[in-house]
Amino acid sequence: MRSNIILALSLSIVGASAASALTLNVVATLPELADIASRIGGEHVKIDTLARGTEDIHQVVMRPSLVPKLNKADAVVYLGLTVEHTFLPGLLNVAANPEMREDAVKQCAGPGCIDCSEGVKVLEKPSTLSRSEGEIHPSGNPHYNLDPEEGLTIARNIAAGFSRLDSDHAADYRKNLKVYLAELEAKIVLWRKWAAPLKGVKAVSYHQDVPYLARFTGLEFVGTLEVKPGVAPTPSHLEKLVERMKQDKVALIVREKQFAPKLPGWMAEKTGAKVAVIGTMGKAFPGTDTFIKMSEHNLQALLGAVGKAP
Amino acid sequence: MSRSLSYLLAASLIALPAPPALAQDAPAADTSSLLKDLQQRVLKLEGAPAKSSLNAFNPAIGMALDAAFRDSNDKAAFQFRAAELGLSAPVDPYLKAWVFITGSNGGVGVEEAVLETTALPHNLTARGGRLFASFGRLAHVHDHELPVVERPLSLDSSIGGETQADGLEVSWLAPTDLYLDATFGVYNKMGAENDRQDNLGARTLDEFTYLGRLNTYLDLTDTQNVELGVDAAWTPKRSVTEDIAVTGSANALTTRRNTWRTLSGLDFTYRHQPSGGGLYKGLVWGTEVMQNTERRFGPASRLPTDRVRAYSGYSYVELKTNRGWRGGLMADLTEDQDDPHRLTKTLTAFLTYDVTEFQRLRLTYAEGLVNVPGAVKNHTVAFQWTGLIGKHVHGFRDR
């Protein structure tokens, strides 16, 4: 009897350790990446997230409690194009994980790095690199997570990364990818219909993070409240922007949730344009913890502001 | 069949009359510009232009320029504080390196020149060369990264400027869910302006300085967290060159008994970081207390005096209101290391405006008083202007 108990305990311990060995420990930098990764990885992955979603994507704080997560991770899933430059390289630098090291250009180097930007149709690649142009990103505008179609690219990159790191479950990852792509593609068809009234609508945004959103919706962005990327608005710049908005009959002001409502509100009063508040990451608003919900929320916010709610 | 077709096509092309020269030039020009355009687009798609020269392996370069205007007790001056050149790059798959060369009114010097491993097992990281030892909370921070214009007196008194040290450090990250980092270091000495030892010449093992530090962190809530550090730097023995005229000693270089020195520290940081605030909103409360215990040496005689225990420390609160503005107060208490009854109290108010991520303006007002009869208050106003060019990274230690 006693030997049976010991045998059972031993088997359960071996089984438990084998099961944990078969699970990929994944850290995603952003909530919507964690969502897609969980969909692709299914039961084979355990996922942690670095950003909460309510921050400015460029200003996620390097909390030391994030270091152990990266230390134990088999993979880190990140948006790339240096959008996580304020936190990911710094955390990787101290995480002492040989599978993923900080990299000055790509943020992450090593077999555990899954860069979701591979294959993205990158917009706004700078023709010249100078800080006189503000906080520009050398590889191009990194906010492609606001284009629902790039969700397909993100999912494919994650599936490829998981398959590379865990080839035993590659078939499962492919199967999960297929299911997710089908779901997202169906949504995209629907959202294209929703977005039709936005085509040609002139707009301004607070930060230069909307070109991919514009590519999907057809919105025409004519300026930003920031003087240049990362350079705070000045009174003279805002007055010129108000004039331009009046001339161009700009109907929409897009405020990313992390920016205070005061200035966009003032602009709206001066111009009669409506303000739409969007999230630049999943979980920016309650109930937007998935890529699909984030994309849908943003579209609804834009449509609501121009009086064309779906 | 296909080969026959190819021959036929080739023969037809040869047989075709050559187009007029003018007509030939125009398409060629078009093709050339088209190719050029395509090449540009391909280069953009592939990121940076192909780097074919050895310069492609040059390190990343950045520079911090730090200037100030300082008025102390109605005497003012412009100060060129520093131009700090930083270079960094991987050395090979196992090592990276960085160098900071600083030029100031005091001359040009190598502030840091560090080799750091990137592939040691068991969560270990080793760094060596000239480095800023991991003592305390602010002591290893470069001058222009401090929350105030002037380095707190407690740090200057206990450490001697930044924790610059020639030596070796090993850090270990505990493989736990709790962040726990342990560092052990051995150095010639710690502190750029620490004149108890120098970096020249050899010494016995008990004349090095040994450091141990533990650092941990806890999330209290989603928006509040604390960080705690405890450390000690121990130098077992100290040699001095005695003044023969005073001591009559035959050997000028002597080691007296019981000359060990311990600098211990405890630091605590509370941060309130609203979830939507990012790097530029919230509140930081940082406190550090140090205890220095050693036998001091008479400045004239070079003879050891009694063992003295002196405390020093600072506490500051910084409120970050938005992307541009932050400000706060710092209180610093520093006991004189020769005479602990002699206490200097400094209160500093500081206001910072980050014009952009790369340009900063800072205004501080500091009031200092030594608790000796007849002492007068010292008033200092400083306005600092800092700019960063080239490479700029957000380091974990500077968070």
Side-chain angles (χ1 to χ4, degrees), chain A:
Chain A
M1 181 63 184
R2 184 183 291 175
S3 60
N4 284 348
I5 293 171
I6 292 170
L7 182 65
L9 278 173
S10 309
L11 284 173
S12 62
I13 290 167
V14 169
S17 58
S20 68
L22 293 175
T23 303
L24 274 183
N25 279 318
V26 178
V27 171
T29 54
L30 314 179
E32 68 272 25
L33 300 184
D35 159 55
I36 299 176
S38 70
R39 293 289 304 271
I40 305 297
E43 62 187 2
H44 304 307
V45 298
K46 178 181 164 295
I47 299 184
D48 275 311
T49 313
L50 299 182
R52 293 175 168 131
T54 47
E55 312 98 319
D56 182 336
I57 198 169
H58 299 302
Q59 296 177 32
V60 176
V61 176
M62 281 184 272
R63 285 174 288 138
S65 52
L66 304 176
V67 173
K69 295 179 198 289
L70 283 166
N71 174 253
K72 292 180 197 161
D74 300 303
V76 58
V77 175
Y78 60 105
L79 204 59
L81 301 176
T82 69
V83 78
E84 294 107 336
H85 75 106
T86 56
F87 65 101
L88 184 59
L91 289 169
L92 288 174
N93 184 32
V94 290
N97 187 335
E99 302 301 307
M100 51 194 78
R101 291 284 176 189
E102 66 160 333
D103 184 85
V105 178
K106 287 183 71 68
Q107 300 184 145
C108 180
C113 304
I114 300 177
D115 181 352
C116 294
S117 71
E118 285 178 19
V120 166
K121 294 164 206 150
V122 179
L123 300 175
E124 297 181 350
K125 291 194 172 185
S127 53
T128 178
L129 286 179
S130 166
R131 291 259 168 78
S132 63
E133 297 305 313
E135 287 180 42
I136 52 172
H137 294 269
S139 309
N141 194 304
H143 300 279
Y144 65 86
N145 56 333
L146 297 185
D147 180 350
E149 288 210 45
E150 295 296 2
L152 305 170
T153 313
I154 293 170
R156 288 189 189 104
N157 280 323
I158 292 174
F162 286 176
S163 300
R164 174 168 50 80
L165 292 166
D166 178 21
S167 54
D168 289 350
H169 296 114
D172 288 344
Y173 299 137
R174 275 197 299 275
K175 190 179 80 183
N176 293 343
L177 173 67
K178 202 173 165 187
V179 171
Y180 184 74
L181 292 183
E183 184 182 333
L184 183 56
E185 278 166 352
K187 282 285 186 184
I188 287 170
V189 170
L190 173 71
W191 293 339
R192 284 214 170 283
K193 286 180 191 159
W194 284 11
L198 295 173
K199 190 168 184 186
V201 173
K202 290 189 172 163
V204 296
S205 64
Y206 202 108
H207 180 62
Q208 184 62 8
D209 50 12
V210 288
Y212 297 94
L213 190 62
R215 185 168 70 185
F216 184 81
T217 57
L219 283 169
E220 286 181 23
F221 285 92
V222 300
T224 59
L225 272 68
E226 286 184 338
V227 179
K228 287 187 174 175
V231 180
T234 60
S236 61
H237 171 74
L238 291 179
E239 283 188 8
K240 278 183 202 161
L241 189 61
V242 164
E243 286 310 307
R244 175 148 190 215
M245 285 173 70
K246 285 177 181 168
Q247 277 173 15
D248 291 355
K249 298 188 169 49
V250 171
L252 184 63
I253 298 168
V254 174
R255 172 170 79 84
E256 300 82 344
K257 192 189 170 234
Q258 67 271 18
F259 294 111
K262 192 177 166 187
L263 288 180
W266 178 81
M267 303 280 288
E269 267 180 31
K270 291 274 179 188
T271 62
K274 301 295 179 192
V275 179
V277 188
I278 65 164
T280 54
M281 285 189 275
K283 288 189 177 174
F285 298 94
T288 60
D289 51 333
T290 70
F291 182 81
I292 287 174
K293 286 177 183 170
M294 175 189 85
S295 304
E296 204 153 270
H297 177 278
N298 286 346
L299 275 176
Q300 285 170 335
L302 295 169
L303 288 163
V306 296
K308 305 279 183 185

Side-chain angles (χ1 to χ4, degrees), chain B residues 106-321:
Chain B
V108 176
V110 177
E111 201 162 55
E112 281 190 89
V114 185
L115 296 166
E116 184 178 275
T117 61
T118 56
L120 284 186
H122 310 299
N123 290 350
L124 292 166
T125 303
R127 62 189 76 85
R130 173 165 292 182
L131 46 86
F132 280 7
S134 303
F135 183 93
R137 188 179 179 280
L138 288 180
H140 52 72
V141 175
H142 288 245
D143 275 342
H144 66 270
E145 297 288 355
L146 289 167
V148 288
V149 175
E150 294 185 340
R151 188 162 284 269
L153 180 63
S154 52
L155 296 179
D156 262 342
S157 169
S158 299
I159 290 158
E162 293 140 333
T163 56
Q164 190 190 74
D166 291 6
L168 182 71
E169 233 178 43
V170 179
S171 296
W172 176 69
L173 178 70
T176 56
D177 288 339
L178 175 77
Y179 173 78
L180 181 67
D181 182 79
T183 302
F184 173 76
V186 53
Y187 325 101
N188 287 343
K189 64 164 187 165
M190 186 176 78
E193 290 142 32
N194 172 8
D195 57 4
R196 294 172 181 85
Q197 301 271 9
D198 63 38
N199 278 316
L200 305 172
R203 68 208 69 210
T204 57
L205 278 178
D206 52 10
E207 288 175 289
F208 287 98
T209 294
Y210 299 89
L211 170 79
R213 175 171 172 82
L214 275 175
N215 190 31
T216 191
Y217 168 96
L218 275 176
D219 281 316
L220 300 177
T221 66
D222 263 4
T223 58
Q224 298 178 76
N225 55 68
V226 290
E227 197 168 347
L228 194 66
V230 57
D231 35 34
W234 177 53
T235 311
K237 199 166 77 177
R238 176 176 171 186
S239 297
V240 291
T241 307
E242 292 186 351
D243 186 337
I244 299 173
V246 176
T247 64
S249 168
N251 301 315
L253 184 69
T254 61
T255 304
R256 297 284 175 148
R257 293 177 62 187
N258 197 23
T259 53
W260 54 268
R261 178 197 182 209
T262 304
L263 177 65
S264 318
L266 186 68
D267 55 276
F268 169 85
T269 308
Y270 164 84
R271 291 185 180 90
H272 171 60
Q273 295 167 320
S275 59
L279 301 172
Y280 298 102
K281 270 189 187 172
L283 183 135
V284 181
W285 170 36
T287 299
E288 184 168 4
V289 179
M290 289 160 284
Q291 182 206 63
N292 184 65
T293 168
E294 65 178 322
R295 284 185 86 179
R296 301 289 292 172
F297 284 71
S301 70
R302 312 288 290 167
L303 283 171
T305 59
D306 289 339
R307 180 159 291 279
V308 180
R309 180 181 295 169
Y311 289 89
S312 61
Y314 62 84
S315 186
Y316 76 96
V317 175
E318 183 176 41
L319 180 68
K320 303 175 180 184
T321 56

